[in-house]
Amino acid sequence: MSIDRIIDGYNLLPHSPAGRQRYGPGQLERARLRLLKWVVTRLAERERPATIVVFDGREAPAAGNRSFQFRGIQVIYSAVGQEADDVIEQLIARHPHPERLVVVSSDARLRRAIQRRRGTALESPEFINLLESRAPVDDL
């Protein structure tokens, strides 16, 4: 299955029920986990394998892979010295059918990148509203 949705994780986080203005020690990691759990419960089972969430790597968990599966969705942390936006732009550029791709971010750079490839840009608050309008799924 090809990827249909790329989510800019840190851009989505403050708009989500998991977000807040400031994070103390360990709180950002917990907020990321809450965000992933919340997103997964609002996506249909068939949507999860078609979704990637990308976070900046500088705040990546100390131990672990930079890419892993979380309940069916792929999670990627950018490499050290690389921004999540760079990873997302690379994913957009390599996508075989960008016209079917939705990028969730309010970042103007990413919105322009997907629009150049004739895909869809969805603002983070719009995506949150879309997910909040769905009933949580029970298949987890």
Side-chain angles (χ1 to χ4, degrees):
M1 171 177 277
S2 93
I3 299 302
D4 297 319
R5 181 183 301 113
I6 301 170
I7 299 172
D8 182 352
Y10 284 140
N11 189 275
L12 186 66
L13 184 60
H15 302 283
S16 76
R20 56 173 60 176
Q21 294 294 338
R22 293 189 176 164
Y23 299 94
Q27 290 180 329
L28 185 58
E29 187 170 351
R30 288 191 296 275
R32 280 193 309 258
L33 183 58
R34 281 193 311 272
L35 174 68
L36 292 171
K37 286 178 179 177
W38 185 78
V39 168
V40 165
T41 64
R42 301 298 173 136
L43 293 177
E45 186 176 3
R46 65 175 165 66
E47 292 177 297
R48 293 179 207 140
T51 301
I52 294 179
V53 179
V54 182
F55 292 104
D56 284 325
R58 69 178 177 276
E59 298 287 340
N65 285 330
R66 293 214 169 265
S67 179
F68 59 94
Q69 295 289 317
F70 180 83
R71 298 182 182 172
I73 63 174
Q74 185 175 356
V75 179
I76 298 174
Y77 287 93
S78 64
V80 175
Q82 183 183 42
E83 294 180 356
D85 291 1
D86 300 328
V87 173
I88 294 170
E89 281 190 320
Q90 291 168 4
L91 291 168
I92 293 168
R94 292 193 314 246
H95 198 281
H97 302 286
E99 69 280 359
R100 290 189 269 183
L101 185 59
V102 175
V103 172
V104 177
S105 180
S106 298
D107 185 293
R109 169 184 166 188
L110 296 177
R111 296 174 64 73
R112 283 190 305 270
I114 189 58
Q115 289 166 346
R116 278 193 302 271
R117 302 266 349 257
R118 300 196 188 333
T120 302
L122 188 62
E123 295 264 354
S124 291
E126 290 177 87
F127 186 65
I128 293 296
N129 289 339
L130 172 71
L131 293 185
E132 285 181 334
S133 72
R134 296 177 173 189
V137 293
D138 294 327
D139 65 348
L140 295 176

